[in-house]
Amino acid sequence: MSNNAVTSPITNAAYGQLIAQRKQGFSARESVEATIDSLIEEYLVSRRKAALIVTQAWADLEDTGKPAAFVDVSRTTANMVVVKDTATGCTSIFSVHELLQFRANNPDHVNRIHA
């Protein structure tokens, strides 16, 4: 779990369901969608709120054990995202347009928030 994760019943439920579904061999898309639907039903939250919680949990689980990197929020703007790779010390800058192109060109990528 990331250092930024807020411990709450709904957040814990998202992590638990994603981990359980990963162990059962569900695809990324199936896991994310099923967990979003489950949170909506169990916690009576909007699709957007459930998707945001599940997306954070998914990203945290995917990053476990990988080299550390983070979004430099002090340098990120509405039009660009600055990513700092702590393992190499490199800084990468992506325009929002580039990120949207990446998403469009990677159809297997989980489109997590679609609410």
Side-chain angles (χ1 to χ4, degrees):
M1 217 178 328
S2 86
N3 293 336
N4 296 327
V6 175
T7 303
S8 70
I10 191 170
T11 302
N12 290 337
Y15 281 103
Q17 289 178 35
L18 290 170
I19 290 168
Q21 290 173 7
R22 180 181 284 181
K23 287 180 181 178
Q24 294 173 4
F26 283 72
S27 74
R29 184 173 300 281
E30 290 172 321
S31 295
V32 168
E33 287 300 321
T35 304
I36 289 170
D37 291 343
S38 175
L39 295 184
I40 291 168
E41 184 176 325
E42 185 174 348
Y43 292 94
L44 303 174
V45 295
S46 69
R47 180 162 190 78
R48 180 162 184 75
K49 180 171 178 143
L52 288 169
I53 291 167
V54 173
T55 298
Q56 179 183 5
W58 181 266
D60 287 346
L61 292 171
E62 285 294 295
D63 285 345
T64 301
K66 293 183 181 171
F70 63 92
V71 173
D72 185 341
V73 295
S74 67
R75 294 169 59 196
T76 294
T77 69
N79 296 311
M80 72 173 193
V81 177
V82 178
V83 178
K84 180 75 172 177
D85 182 338
T86 56
T88 64
C90 292
T91 298
S92 300
I93 300 171
F94 302 94
S95 72
V96 172
H97 178 73
E98 288 173 310
L99 294 173
L100 292 174
Q101 282 182 314
F102 172 79
R103 183 181 67 185
N105 293 330
N106 291 282
D108 294 333
H109 181 65
V110 176
N111 188 6
R112 296 173 186 97
I113 301 176
H114 207 40

